[in-house]
Amino acid sequence: MISSAPKDAGAVILLRPHTAPDNPEVYLVKRSTKLAFLGGFHAFPGGQREASDSEARVDNCDEQESAAMISCAARELFEEVGVLLARGSRTLTTGQLASLFDDLESSRMSWPELLRHYGLHLDARDFTFVGRWVTPPFAPRRFDTWFFLVNCPPKQNPRVTPDSELESGEWTPARDAHAKWERSEVIAVPPVLHALETLAGGLTDDLVERFLSVPEAHREPTRRIEFHPNYICFPVRTPTKPPATHTNCYLIYSSSEILIIDPGSPYEDEQAALAECVDDLIAPGRTVREIALTHVHPDHVAGVNALNDHLKKKHGAPVPVAAHRVTAESLKNQVSVNLIIEDAEVLELNGTPAINLRALATPGHARGHLCFHDERTGALISGDNIVGFGSVLIDPPEGNMLDYLASLERMRALPQLSVLFGGHGPAIANPYEKIDEYIAHRRQREELILAAVREGALTPREIVARAYTDVSPKAHAMAERSVLAHLEKLEADGLVSLNSDGEYLATQTNN
């Protein structure tokens, strides 16, 4: 399956008026934890381009696409934090700005109509282009985002507007914001981190050059994604189940050691890219501690042997492969597992920072599934128990719904979770909300399935037709596998029984 094409988006890096040039203050926002895409992440105001953005007047810009993206960025900034970057707006009072905002939000006027009606226009000289970043192809929702550096008008004060998708916003020195990320206190995507790090170097004459100094700022997709310090997410293309197209390999590193989790690609070009990233981490003197596996599925283990062959050829020796004993047994004659990871065992990385990962046996998606919990930072490698988008397939006999729900509850009980690193998609910065969402989704499906059985549906196919009306017919075959997992749980709970004809019957009725 081919990843979806990225959609155009604009974002504004808003500088505080009269800010200190050696450590400028920038307006950083936190996205609502309720959002499906990057909920809980810290970011800059911005969003997706709308068709009407190209109709707004932008002076001193001869290039149509650039003008449309400046318009997009300006509109998003006004909608999200109430700052209007338009020539002629300096004479507007706070009350007048509020009236304009209401005109736009209520759809009484479109963005171009609003600007024309109030005699306003945009000027490209107010927007400094500082990069164009493309979301990596590991999620169905992707953006081609234009970033603009802008000085906030002196008499306007940004604030998170009531109907925006933001939870909060504040002026913060760039150096302080980046330091918070280094302390694992915030989660942000690579272009935001790059911007903060660049601004932390001061408002120098070569500022724009420093913004544009990395290939990712010129639409080259990021391969090394460090959502969290010392945790590199390296998505590799795999023949996984849709809508996913990639599996996340994680490279967790200290000053001395590297732990590699789930090198899953069977493709030589992807294996080579991953090996190059590992070599870069080894170059300063680190060693690879081991390769650890979350579970048995091919899209998580197919690159193990190739990576170990590379390590042997280039660095002198392969490294141990570690997994749950059930996974090790299942992988016999495919991957040689040298170390068995027991439940509650701690994997310690030597060096700094101190990284200790506690293994958690969390079966359900797979019988030998493991998660890895960093108690110091609250990070959890969740494997395929929770992923960055969509839901998880529980497919018997390897999958077991009763075990899966128990594993979700165990993960939910972990204290002070800060981020989930799933096997697919971006990191999850709202861990408890996401786990609750998964549990609620499974409980709701179970109720619908039980209701369908009580109404006379006898087979998984008949149940899918009644209980999965929100699912495309193309996905019904997978849905039947999930229904079977739910039926096995309901049978264990004593709520349904399987007769000799392979039909499921309710064993008790509603009170």
Side-chain angles (χ1 to χ4, degrees), residues 240-314:
T240 187
K241 295 186 184 299
T245 57
H246 289 64
T247 298
N248 294 334
C249 175
Y250 288 100
L251 308 172
I252 303 166
Y253 68 95
S254 67
S255 59
S256 301
E257 291 190 314
I258 309 160
L259 175 67
I260 302 170
I261 298 179
D262 288 358
S265 181
Y267 306 123
E268 289 186 7
D269 58 336
E270 294 293 286
Q271 292 169 351
L274 175 60
E276 182 179 357
C277 183
V278 173
D279 288 344
D280 288 345
L281 288 174
I282 290 173
R286 298 184 186 96
T287 58
V288 178
R289 181 190 192 277
E290 64 194 52
I291 298 170
L293 307 177
T294 59
H295 63 292
V296 69
H297 290 155
D299 60 322
H300 290 256
V301 306
V304 172
N305 292 336
L307 181 56
N308 245 339
D309 287 345
H310 170 82
L311 292 172
K312 181 179 180 180
K313 182 177 180 180
K314 183 151 187 184

Side-chain angles (χ1 to χ4, degrees), residues 36 54 180 291-292 341 408 432 450 492 504:
S54 61
K180 284 184 178 180
I291 298 170
I341 301 176
L408 290 178
Y432 293 112
L450 183 56
Y504 288 89

Side-chain angles (χ1 to χ4, degrees), residues 206-257:
D206 65 345
L207 177 63
V208 174
E209 182 182 341
R210 288 190 286 119
F211 262 105
L212 299 175
S213 64
V214 296
E216 291 84 358
H218 302 273
R219 306 184 69 230
E220 181 174 311
T222 307
R223 290 305 304 256
R224 265 180 74 154
I225 308 169
E226 201 159 351
F227 291 116
H228 199 297
N230 302 97
Y231 282 72
I232 294 173
C233 172
F234 196 95
V236 289
R237 193 176 79 261
T238 60
T240 187
K241 295 186 184 299
T245 57
H246 289 64
T247 298
N248 294 334
C249 175
Y250 288 100
L251 308 172
I252 303 166
Y253 68 95
S254 67
S255 59
S256 301
E257 291 190 314

Side-chain angles (χ1 to χ4, degrees), residues 87-207:
R87 294 291 177 103
S89 64
R90 295 199 176 202
T91 60
L92 297 175
T93 65
T94 301
Q96 288 172 320
L97 282 170
S99 178
L100 267 69
F101 179 81
D102 187 58
D103 285 340
L104 185 61
E105 285 299 289
S106 63
S107 299
R108 282 193 294 271
M109 293 185 189
S110 69
W111 172 242
E113 289 170 342
L114 180 144
L115 294 174
R116 286 195 297 269
H117 180 80
Y118 289 97
L120 307 172
H121 67 275
L122 305 173
D123 193 312
R125 292 173 298 182
D126 298 331
F127 299 79
T128 301
F129 174 76
V130 289
R132 192 171 167 185
W133 292 66
V134 178
T135 308
F138 69 166
R141 193 171 184 187
R142 302 177 62 213
F143 295 96
D144 182 348
T145 304
W146 298 54
F147 286 84
F148 297 97
L149 186 66
V150 170
N151 291 307
C152 184
K155 294 183 180 180
Q156 295 192 44
N157 295 309
R159 72 200 185 286
V160 171
T161 58
D163 296 326
S164 75
E165 297 180 333
L166 306 177
E167 183 177 296
S168 62
E170 64 175 346
W171 290 113
T172 181
R175 201 171 296 147
D176 295 358
H178 194 268
K180 284 184 178 180
W181 176 80
E182 290 178 321
R183 295 193 299 269
S184 305
E185 295 174 8
V186 301
I187 306 294
V189 293
V192 173
L193 294 172
H194 173 68
L196 293 175
E197 191 171 17
T198 302
L199 288 171
L203 302 181
T204 58
D205 292 340
D206 65 345
L207 177 63

